[in-house]
Structure formats: structure tokens, C-alpha cells
Amino acid sequence: QVQLVESGGGLVQPGGSLRLSCVASGIIFRIYGMGWYRQAPGKQRELVATITSGGSTNYADSVKGRFTISRDNAKNTVFLQMNSLKPEDTAVYYCKADYYIENYWGQGTQVTVSS
């Protein structure tokens, strides 16, 4: 079956960095568009960044210049490098895989930015 497993979340001080990873299994990873989304308490889930099968990237305005999405097709893994973290980046971060009408979500990893 399809599994997306996120890791790398945790508690970090403002201005710090974290690198999230999402390992996929059960799909032909290289043909899927991949994305990171986040959901803060009491808020709707929102797009953070996406990367197409061809490597084109897209970012939410709130994270441009601070976050970088990348993928390693040999390892079936998508990454989110998060720098200059702010308290408002606190949320559960989810990985998503998309291929036409097929889409799959991971279980999420908590990121907390606090001093």
C-alpha cells in the first residue's frame, strides 16, 4: 500500500533551521508531484511548497526565500529545508503526493518555533 512517512520535525528557536523529510513507498515516486502543506491550530491546511516530477518548484509567499523544497528520486524522498524560522511557522507539516486524480497524504510532523 502507499505510505508517506514524514520526519525531522521538532522544537526550534526563532531564527533556527529544520530539515523535513518524506519517504514514499508504494508509488512510482519519480512521476508524482510532491508537496508540503501545513496546518496550525484553528486554521485551515495551507500549501507551503510543491515540486513537480520535472523539478519545478512553487512556494507560498510567506516562505519564499526561507524554505527550499527538493527531491531525490533515487531515495523516493522529498525534503523541505526551513531556515529563518518564525513562530508563525508553527504547525503540523504534511507531505502530499499527486498524480492526476491520485493523491496521498502523510501523517504529519510537528514543527514548533518558540523561545
Side-chain angles (χ1 to χ4, degrees), residues 32-78:
Y32 277 73
M34 301 299 297
W36 287 97
Y37 294 73
R38 67 187 181 187
Q39 188 166 18
K43 294 189 176 182
Q44 289 189 330
R45 192 172 296 189
E46 64 177 3
L47 179 147
V48 176
T50 60
I51 184 166
T52 67
S53 57
S56 297
T57 58
N58 180 56
Y59 297 92
D61 288 343
S62 59
V63 307
K64 280 181 182 176
R66 300 188 298 123
F67 291 10
T68 303
I69 188 171
S70 61
R71 65 190 296 160
D72 184 339
N73 289 341
K75 296 182 179 180
N76 285 7
T77 303
V78 61

